[in-house]
Amino acid sequence: MSMDIDVDVPISIAPSQGIDNSVTATIFCCDCGAPIDGTTAIDAKCYDCFKLTKDISQGIQREATLHFCRDCDRWLQPPSSWVTAQPESRELLALCLKKLSLNRTRIIDASFIWTEPHSRRIRVKLVVQAAVADDRVMQQALEVVYVVAYQQCPECAKSYTANVWRASVQVRQKVLHKRTFLYLEQLILKHGAHRETINIKEAKDGIDFFFSARNQAEKFVDFLNSVVPVRVKKSQELISQDTHTSKKSYKFTFSVELIPICKDDLVALPIPLAKQIGNISPLAICYRVGTSINVLDTNTLQTADISAPVYWRTPFATLADAQDLVEFIVMDCEPVGPTRGKWILAETQLARATDLGVNDKTYFARTHLGGLLHAGDSVMGYMLTGTNFNSPQFEALEESHTYSSRIPDVVIVKKHYPNRRRNRKRHWKVKRMAKDEGELLPKKTDQERMDREFEQFLQDIEEDEEFRQGVQLYKQPARKKQVDEMSMVTTEDGDDDDAPHVDMNELLEDFDELTMEDQ
């Protein structure tokens, strides 16, 4: 048997020479004289000469207009909708193509041609295709120039017109300071909950937020419920009514009242409520305000949460707030032993800062800051000895056989840094919402009080890491610039004192102030 192996023979793939094509030239082109097939030729011309005389883009306009709203950065999509599209994006390209009338012409390719950003022109290169005969298809490239015209959208037009809102949210807190509102403002900015507002207006004891639709206001109220303890009431007002179709138009108002208790406030709980939430001592301080009020007994490190429904069933006022804090000097501090997280229970001997050099009177107090305090440190606390409080809850506490002997002389709230320089510069800043103050322009004394409250808020951000989690801190740029939408509060840390500072790793870049040199 033969075991021969066939060897592959290389085969040429070059076109064969001398083979007659099926297409036979029967006539000459009437323009260039090239031989062509007369049975398939169009107007007795070759394809190259026919392209020079036929324009398939004849019905497509070379110029068009795009309308752009400079307030909200949106484009008009006829007839009446406004869409968001970034420069040279697919959405903007689709919007440009919809402005053209193609007249049985199909678009094969489309792309942007670069233009100067300030030229207010958008250039688009198109490749179109159309049938010029029964079995002949022709392609052609062209350029379309779009002129960007400025036009204000209805939503932005409403924002500049009075009394066009459909829903408003009135946020109120009946306290003498704005510390909770400052923190709430940072939470709103962090989550962007104010983007759909058409106006933000300062009001007595709070802020009013105005919306163009009811569902936007309801969404904002849900956000407030998720971050702070509130009580919500709703009302509506009939604006107009069509008797033929029974259609009615309403304005909706949501009254949102925050619990009038803030961070570092001293509270005297009703005794039944204190027993209900864990048998905590009725005299406590508020160490955090989240979706509920978190209170702490500084004598035992016991904590409890008071939700908004529980508080409004048995409301109570604060016994003293941050404005009543007194500075004390720690003469001696000895940890007792019990700990709870970052807190260490300690016994301290205190002297009022104003009494140094005047008398030798000292006070005994237990504190939760045993891990931070040493002899010679300064603390801020509430002076209970010799102080009269107009509170029925505190009077019930003094008359109680169980709790009257447990009332301390001093309640320590936080550590104080007296060497901290005033009006010092920090290397970080926070953003503020642009609010319409209207007729409530602050007086000089009110402005000084507001500046002190904001400085205290910035110090709370530095001292409390947990409090800092709800605030977005931005790096301080080298030079200050003016911003339209939001006013910036600039700060910069100094390194010459022992006060706590914000780590640079926690700061964000402020892209609103980036320039071409920064990029």
Side-chain angles (χ1 to χ4, degrees), residues 188-234:
I188 293 174
L189 289 173
K190 181 178 181 179
H191 296 87
H194 67 298
R195 293 176 182 172
E196 296 178 340
T197 58
I198 61 176
N199 193 17
I200 303 175
K201 190 175 181 180
E202 286 274 6
K204 186 179 180 181
D205 297 334
I207 307 175
D208 292 342
F209 298 86
F210 298 93
F211 300 88
S212 58
R214 173 186 174 183
N215 59 345
Q216 297 174 353
E218 292 177 342
K219 180 180 177 182
F220 185 75
V221 172
D222 292 339
F223 167 77
L224 295 179
N225 268 313
S226 64
V227 294
V228 289
V230 296
R231 177 174 62 175
V232 181
K233 294 182 180 179
K234 176 185 172 183

Short mmCIF file of all heavy atoms in Angstrom, two decimals, residues 188-234:
data_model
loop_
_atom_site.label_atom_id
_atom_site.label_comp_id
_atom_site.label_asym_id
_atom_site.label_seq_id
_atom_site.Cartn_x
_atom_site.Cartn_y
_atom_site.Cartn_z
N ILE A 188 -28.03 69.50 53.97
CA ILE A 188 -28.75 69.76 52.72
C ILE A 188 -27.77 69.95 51.57
O ILE A 188 -27.98 69.42 50.46
CB ILE A 188 -29.65 71.00 52.90
CG1 ILE A 188 -30.77 70.70 53.89
CG2 ILE A 188 -30.24 71.43 51.56
CD1 ILE A 188 -31.63 71.90 54.24
N LEU A 189 -26.68 70.67 51.81
CA LEU A 189 -25.69 70.86 50.76
C LEU A 189 -24.97 69.57 50.41
O LEU A 189 -24.67 69.31 49.23
CB LEU A 189 -24.67 71.91 51.20
CG LEU A 189 -25.16 73.36 51.26
CD1 LEU A 189 -24.09 74.25 51.88
CD2 LEU A 189 -25.52 73.86 49.89
N LYS A 190 -24.71 68.74 51.40
CA LYS A 190 -23.99 67.49 51.15
C LYS A 190 -24.79 66.55 50.28
O LYS A 190 -24.25 65.91 49.36
CB LYS A 190 -23.65 66.81 52.49
CG LYS A 190 -22.88 65.51 52.34
CD LYS A 190 -22.53 64.91 53.69
CE LYS A 190 -21.74 63.62 53.52
NZ LYS A 190 -21.38 63.03 54.82
N HIS A 191 -26.10 66.45 50.50
CA HIS A 191 -26.95 65.53 49.74
C HIS A 191 -27.64 66.21 48.56
O HIS A 191 -28.38 65.53 47.83
CB HIS A 191 -28.01 64.92 50.67
CG HIS A 191 -27.43 64.07 51.77
ND1 HIS A 191 -27.03 64.60 52.99
CD2 HIS A 191 -27.16 62.75 51.84
CE1 HIS A 191 -26.57 63.62 53.75
NE2 HIS A 191 -26.63 62.50 53.09
N GLY A 192 -27.42 67.51 48.37
CA GLY A 192 -28.03 68.20 47.23
C GLY A 192 -29.54 68.25 47.30
O GLY A 192 -30.21 68.23 46.25
N ALA A 193 -30.11 68.33 48.48
CA ALA A 193 -31.56 68.32 48.61
C ALA A 193 -32.20 69.63 48.19
O ALA A 193 -33.42 69.69 48.06
CB ALA A 193 -31.95 68.00 50.07
N HIS A 194 -31.41 70.68 47.99
CA HIS A 194 -31.96 72.00 47.65
C HIS A 194 -31.92 72.29 46.15
O HIS A 194 -32.22 73.39 45.73
CB HIS A 194 -31.13 73.07 48.36
CG HIS A 194 -29.71 73.16 47.87
ND1 HIS A 194 -28.83 72.12 47.97
CD2 HIS A 194 -29.03 74.16 47.24
CE1 HIS A 194 -27.68 72.47 47.44
NE2 HIS A 194 -27.77 73.70 46.99
N ARG A 195 -31.58 71.32 45.33
CA ARG A 195 -31.40 71.57 43.90
C ARG A 195 -32.70 71.94 43.19
O ARG A 195 -32.69 72.69 42.22
CB ARG A 195 -30.79 70.34 43.23
CG ARG A 195 -29.35 70.06 43.68
CD ARG A 195 -28.83 68.78 43.07
NE ARG A 195 -27.48 68.48 43.53
CZ ARG A 195 -26.84 67.35 43.28
NH1 ARG A 195 -27.43 66.41 42.56
NH2 ARG A 195 -25.62 67.15 43.73
N GLU A 196 -33.82 71.40 43.66
CA GLU A 196 -35.09 71.64 42.98
C GLU A 196 -35.82 72.85 43.52
O GLU A 196 -36.95 73.12 43.09
CB GLU A 196 -35.98 70.40 43.09
CG GLU A 196 -35.39 69.17 42.39
CD GLU A 196 -36.26 67.94 42.55
OE1 GLU A 196 -37.09 67.93 43.49
OE2 GLU A 196 -36.12 67.01 41.75
N THR A 197 -35.24 73.58 44.44
CA THR A 197 -35.90 74.77 44.98
C THR A 197 -35.83 75.90 43.97
O THR A 197 -34.84 76.03 43.23
CB THR A 197 -35.25 75.21 46.29
OG1 THR A 197 -33.86 75.48 46.05
CG2 THR A 197 -35.37 74.13 47.35
N ILE A 198 -36.87 76.72 43.93
CA ILE A 198 -36.86 77.91 43.09
C ILE A 198 -36.51 79.15 43.91
O ILE A 198 -36.19 80.18 43.32
CB ILE A 198 -38.20 78.09 42.36
CG1 ILE A 198 -39.35 78.25 43.37
CG2 ILE A 198 -38.47 76.94 41.42
CD1 ILE A 198 -40.69 78.52 42.71
N ASN A 199 -36.57 79.04 45.22
CA ASN A 199 -36.18 80.16 46.08
C ASN A 199 -36.00 79.66 47.51
O ASN A 199 -36.71 78.75 47.95
CB ASN A 199 -37.23 81.27 46.04
CG ASN A 199 -36.71 82.55 46.66
OD1 ASN A 199 -35.51 82.73 46.85
ND2 ASN A 199 -37.62 83.46 47.00
N ILE A 200 -35.03 80.22 48.20
CA ILE A 200 -34.78 79.93 49.61
C ILE A 200 -34.78 81.28 50.33
O ILE A 200 -33.99 82.16 49.99
CB ILE A 200 -33.45 79.20 49.82
CG1 ILE A 200 -33.42 77.90 49.02
CG2 ILE A 200 -33.22 78.91 51.29
CD1 ILE A 200 -32.10 77.17 49.07
N LYS A 201 -35.63 81.43 51.31
CA LYS A 201 -35.84 82.73 51.95
C LYS A 201 -35.69 82.60 53.45
O LYS A 201 -36.20 81.66 54.07
CB LYS A 201 -37.24 83.25 51.60
CG LYS A 201 -37.48 84.69 52.01
CD LYS A 201 -38.83 85.17 51.51
CE LYS A 201 -39.09 86.62 51.89
NZ LYS A 201 -40.40 87.09 51.42
N GLU A 202 -34.98 83.55 54.04
CA GLU A 202 -34.85 83.62 55.49
C GLU A 202 -36.17 84.06 56.10
O GLU A 202 -36.87 84.92 55.58
CB GLU A 202 -33.76 84.62 55.86
CG GLU A 202 -32.35 84.11 55.60
CD GLU A 202 -31.81 83.30 56.76
OE1 GLU A 202 -32.59 83.06 57.70
OE2 GLU A 202 -30.63 82.92 56.72
N ALA A 203 -36.51 83.45 57.21
CA ALA A 203 -37.73 83.81 57.95
C ALA A 203 -37.40 83.82 59.43
O ALA A 203 -36.32 83.38 59.86
CB ALA A 203 -38.86 82.83 57.66
N LYS A 204 -38.32 84.34 60.21
CA LYS A 204 -38.11 84.37 61.65
C LYS A 204 -38.12 82.95 62.20
O LYS A 204 -39.03 82.17 61.92
CB LYS A 204 -39.20 85.21 62.32
CG LYS A 204 -38.98 85.41 63.80
CD LYS A 204 -40.07 86.26 64.42
CE LYS A 204 -39.84 86.43 65.92
NZ LYS A 204 -40.90 87.25 66.54
N ASP A 205 -37.09 82.61 62.95
CA ASP A 205 -36.94 81.29 63.57
C ASP A 205 -36.76 80.18 62.55
O ASP A 205 -36.97 79.00 62.87
CB ASP A 205 -38.14 80.93 64.46
CG ASP A 205 -38.27 81.87 65.63
OD1 ASP A 205 -37.24 82.45 66.05
OD2 ASP A 205 -39.40 82.06 66.13
N GLY A 206 -36.38 80.49 61.31
CA GLY A 206 -36.19 79.39 60.37
C GLY A 206 -35.96 79.86 58.95
O GLY A 206 -35.60 81.00 58.67
N ILE A 207 -36.20 78.92 58.01
CA ILE A 207 -35.97 79.13 56.58
C ILE A 207 -37.18 78.59 55.83
O ILE A 207 -37.76 77.56 56.21
CB ILE A 207 -34.68 78.42 56.10
CG1 ILE A 207 -33.49 78.82 56.96
CG2 ILE A 207 -34.38 78.73 54.65
CD1 ILE A 207 -32.21 78.07 56.63
N ASP A 208 -37.55 79.26 54.72
CA ASP A 208 -38.62 78.81 53.83
C ASP A 208 -38.01 78.33 52.53
O ASP A 208 -37.18 79.03 51.92
CB ASP A 208 -39.61 79.94 53.55
CG ASP A 208 -40.41 80.34 54.78
OD1 ASP A 208 -40.43 79.52 55.73
OD2 ASP A 208 -40.98 81.43 54.80
N PHE A 209 -38.42 77.14 52.09
CA PHE A 209 -37.99 76.58 50.82
C PHE A 209 -39.21 76.54 49.88
O PHE A 209 -40.26 76.00 50.26
CB PHE A 209 -37.43 75.17 51.00
CG PHE A 209 -36.20 75.12 51.88
CD1 PHE A 209 -36.31 75.03 53.25
CD2 PHE A 209 -34.93 75.15 51.31
CE1 PHE A 209 -35.19 74.98 54.06
CE2 PHE A 209 -33.81 75.10 52.11
CZ PHE A 209 -33.93 75.02 53.48
N PHE A 210 -39.05 77.06 48.67
CA PHE A 210 -40.15 77.12 47.72
C PHE A 210 -39.86 76.20 46.54
O PHE A 210 -38.72 76.15 46.03
CB PHE A 210 -40.34 78.56 47.22
CG PHE A 210 -40.72 79.52 48.31
CD1 PHE A 210 -39.74 80.25 48.98
CD2 PHE A 210 -42.04 79.70 48.69
CE1 PHE A 210 -40.07 81.14 49.99
CE2 PHE A 210 -42.38 80.57 49.70
CZ PHE A 210 -41.39 81.29 50.35
N PHE A 211 -40.90 75.48 46.10
CA PHE A 211 -40.78 74.50 45.02
C PHE A 211 -41.87 74.78 43.98
O PHE A 211 -42.90 75.37 44.27
CB PHE A 211 -40.91 73.08 45.55
CG PHE A 211 -39.86 72.71 46.57
CD1 PHE A 211 -40.06 72.97 47.92
CD2 PHE A 211 -38.69 72.11 46.18
CE1 PHE A 211 -39.10 72.64 48.86
CE2 PHE A 211 -37.72 71.77 47.12
CZ PHE A 211 -37.93 72.04 48.46
N SER A 212 -41.61 74.30 42.77
CA SER A 212 -42.56 74.48 41.67
C SER A 212 -43.56 73.34 41.58
O SER A 212 -44.51 73.42 40.79
CB SER A 212 -41.82 74.61 40.34
OG SER A 212 -41.03 73.46 40.09
N ALA A 213 -43.37 72.27 42.33
CA ALA A 213 -44.28 71.12 42.27
C ALA A 213 -44.43 70.55 43.67
O ALA A 213 -43.53 70.66 44.52
CB ALA A 213 -43.77 70.05 41.30
N ARG A 214 -45.56 69.89 43.88
CA ARG A 214 -45.85 69.34 45.20
C ARG A 214 -44.94 68.16 45.53
O ARG A 214 -44.49 68.02 46.67
CB ARG A 214 -47.32 68.90 45.23
CG ARG A 214 -47.74 68.16 46.48
CD ARG A 214 -49.16 67.65 46.34
NE ARG A 214 -49.55 66.81 47.46
CZ ARG A 214 -50.72 66.19 47.54
NH1 ARG A 214 -51.61 66.34 46.57
NH2 ARG A 214 -51.02 65.45 48.58
N ASN A 215 -44.68 67.31 44.53
CA ASN A 215 -43.87 66.12 44.81
C ASN A 215 -42.44 66.49 45.18
O ASN A 215 -41.77 65.77 45.94
CB ASN A 215 -43.89 65.18 43.60
CG ASN A 215 -43.36 65.85 42.35
OD1 ASN A 215 -43.25 67.07 42.29
ND2 ASN A 215 -43.04 65.07 41.33
N GLN A 216 -41.93 67.63 44.68
CA GLN A 216 -40.59 68.06 45.06
C GLN A 216 -40.55 68.46 46.54
O GLN A 216 -39.58 68.16 47.24
CB GLN A 216 -40.16 69.24 44.18
CG GLN A 216 -40.05 68.90 42.71
CD GLN A 216 -39.78 70.11 41.85
OE1 GLN A 216 -39.79 71.25 42.34
NE2 GLN A 216 -39.54 69.90 40.57
N ALA A 217 -41.61 69.13 47.00
CA ALA A 217 -41.67 69.51 48.41
C ALA A 217 -41.79 68.27 49.30
O ALA A 217 -41.18 68.20 50.37
CB ALA A 217 -42.83 70.46 48.65
N GLU A 218 -42.59 67.30 48.88
CA GLU A 218 -42.73 66.07 49.67
C GLU A 218 -41.41 65.31 49.74
O GLU A 218 -41.07 64.73 50.78
CB GLU A 218 -43.82 65.20 49.06
CG GLU A 218 -45.22 65.79 49.20
CD GLU A 218 -46.27 64.93 48.51
OE1 GLU A 218 -45.87 64.10 47.65
OE2 GLU A 218 -47.46 65.08 48.82
N LYS A 219 -40.67 65.32 48.66
CA LYS A 219 -39.36 64.67 48.67
C LYS A 219 -38.41 65.37 49.64
O LYS A 219 -37.64 64.72 50.36
CB LYS A 219 -38.78 64.69 47.24
CG LYS A 219 -37.42 64.05 47.11
CD LYS A 219 -36.93 64.13 45.67
CE LYS A 219 -35.54 63.55 45.53
NZ LYS A 219 -35.03 63.68 44.12
N PHE A 220 -38.47 66.70 49.70
CA PHE A 220 -37.62 67.45 50.62
C PHE A 220 -38.03 67.19 52.07
O PHE A 220 -37.17 67.07 52.96
CB PHE A 220 -37.72 68.94 50.29
CG PHE A 220 -36.80 69.80 51.10
CD1 PHE A 220 -35.44 69.83 50.85
CD2 PHE A 220 -37.29 70.59 52.13
CE1 PHE A 220 -34.59 70.62 51.60
CE2 PHE A 220 -36.46 71.39 52.88
CZ PHE A 220 -35.10 71.40 52.61
N VAL A 221 -39.32 67.08 52.33
CA VAL A 221 -39.79 66.78 53.69
C VAL A 221 -39.33 65.40 54.11
O VAL A 221 -38.94 65.18 55.27
CB VAL A 221 -41.32 66.93 53.75
CG1 VAL A 221 -41.85 66.42 55.09
CG2 VAL A 221 -41.73 68.38 53.56
N ASP A 222 -39.38 64.44 53.20
CA ASP A 222 -38.88 63.09 53.51
C ASP A 222 -37.40 63.13 53.86
O ASP A 222 -36.93 62.38 54.73
CB ASP A 222 -39.13 62.16 52.34
CG ASP A 222 -40.62 61.90 52.12
OD1 ASP A 222 -41.40 62.09 53.08
OD2 ASP A 222 -41.00 61.52 51.00
N PHE A 223 -36.64 63.97 53.16
CA PHE A 223 -35.22 64.08 53.48
C PHE A 223 -35.03 64.65 54.89
O PHE A 223 -34.18 64.16 55.64
CB PHE A 223 -34.52 64.97 52.44
CG PHE A 223 -33.14 65.40 52.84
CD1 PHE A 223 -32.08 64.52 52.74
CD2 PHE A 223 -32.91 66.67 53.35
CE1 PHE A 223 -30.80 64.90 53.12
CE2 PHE A 223 -31.64 67.06 53.73
CZ PHE A 223 -30.59 66.17 53.61
N LEU A 224 -35.80 65.67 55.24
CA LEU A 224 -35.67 66.23 56.59
C LEU A 224 -36.03 65.20 57.66
O LEU A 224 -35.40 65.14 58.72
CB LEU A 224 -36.57 67.46 56.73
CG LEU A 224 -36.22 68.68 55.86
CD1 LEU A 224 -37.22 69.80 56.08
CD2 LEU A 224 -34.81 69.16 56.16
N ASN A 225 -37.02 64.39 57.39
CA ASN A 225 -37.39 63.32 58.34
C ASN A 225 -36.28 62.31 58.53
O ASN A 225 -36.19 61.67 59.57
CB ASN A 225 -38.66 62.61 57.85
CG ASN A 225 -39.92 63.24 58.43
OD1 ASN A 225 -40.00 63.50 59.62
ND2 ASN A 225 -40.89 63.50 57.58
N SER A 226 -35.45 62.14 57.52
CA SER A 226 -34.39 61.13 57.58
C SER A 226 -33.12 61.62 58.25
O SER A 226 -32.22 60.81 58.51
CB SER A 226 -34.05 60.64 56.17
OG SER A 226 -33.51 61.69 55.39
N VAL A 227 -33.01 62.92 58.53
CA VAL A 227 -31.77 63.44 59.11
C VAL A 227 -31.97 64.12 60.45
O VAL A 227 -31.04 64.14 61.27
CB VAL A 227 -31.07 64.41 58.13
CG1 VAL A 227 -30.59 63.69 56.90
CG2 VAL A 227 -31.98 65.57 57.74
N VAL A 228 -33.13 64.70 60.71
CA VAL A 228 -33.36 65.40 61.98
C VAL A 228 -34.74 65.04 62.51
O VAL A 228 -35.64 64.68 61.74
CB VAL A 228 -33.27 66.94 61.81
CG1 VAL A 228 -31.83 67.38 61.57
CG2 VAL A 228 -34.16 67.42 60.67
N PRO A 229 -34.94 65.10 63.84
CA PRO A 229 -36.28 64.84 64.41
C PRO A 229 -37.20 66.03 64.20
O PRO A 229 -36.92 67.14 64.66
CB PRO A 229 -35.99 64.59 65.89
CG PRO A 229 -34.71 65.33 66.16
CD PRO A 229 -33.93 65.32 64.89
N VAL A 230 -38.30 65.81 63.49
CA VAL A 230 -39.20 66.90 63.13
C VAL A 230 -40.64 66.48 63.35
O VAL A 230 -40.96 65.30 63.55
CB VAL A 230 -39.01 67.32 61.65
CG1 VAL A 230 -37.62 67.88 61.42
CG2 VAL A 230 -39.28 66.15 60.72
N ARG A 231 -41.51 67.48 63.30
CA ARG A 231 -42.95 67.28 63.29
C ARG A 231 -43.51 68.03 62.09
O ARG A 231 -43.23 69.21 61.91
CB ARG A 231 -43.58 67.78 64.59
CG ARG A 231 -45.10 67.66 64.62
CD ARG A 231 -45.67 68.02 65.98
NE ARG A 231 -45.39 69.39 66.35
CZ ARG A 231 -45.87 69.97 67.46
NH1 ARG A 231 -46.60 69.26 68.30
NH2 ARG A 231 -45.57 71.23 67.74
N VAL A 232 -44.32 67.35 61.26
CA VAL A 232 -44.76 67.90 59.98
C VAL A 232 -46.26 68.11 60.02
O VAL A 232 -47.01 67.23 60.44
CB VAL A 232 -44.37 66.97 58.81
CG1 VAL A 232 -44.81 67.57 57.47
CG2 VAL A 232 -42.87 66.71 58.81
N LYS A 233 -46.68 69.27 59.55
CA LYS A 233 -48.08 69.58 59.33
C LYS A 233 -48.25 70.08 57.91
O LYS A 233 -47.39 70.77 57.38
CB LYS A 233 -48.57 70.65 60.33
CG LYS A 233 -48.59 70.19 61.77
CD LYS A 233 -49.12 71.29 62.68
CE LYS A 233 -49.13 70.85 64.14
NZ LYS A 233 -49.63 71.91 65.04
N LYS A 234 -49.39 69.74 57.31
CA LYS A 234 -49.63 70.06 55.91
C LYS A 234 -50.92 70.85 55.78
O LYS A 234 -51.91 70.57 56.46
CB LYS A 234 -49.71 68.77 55.08
CG LYS A 234 -50.06 68.99 53.62
CD LYS A 234 -50.24 67.65 52.92
CE LYS A 234 -50.77 67.84 51.51
NZ LYS A 234 -51.02 66.55 50.84
#
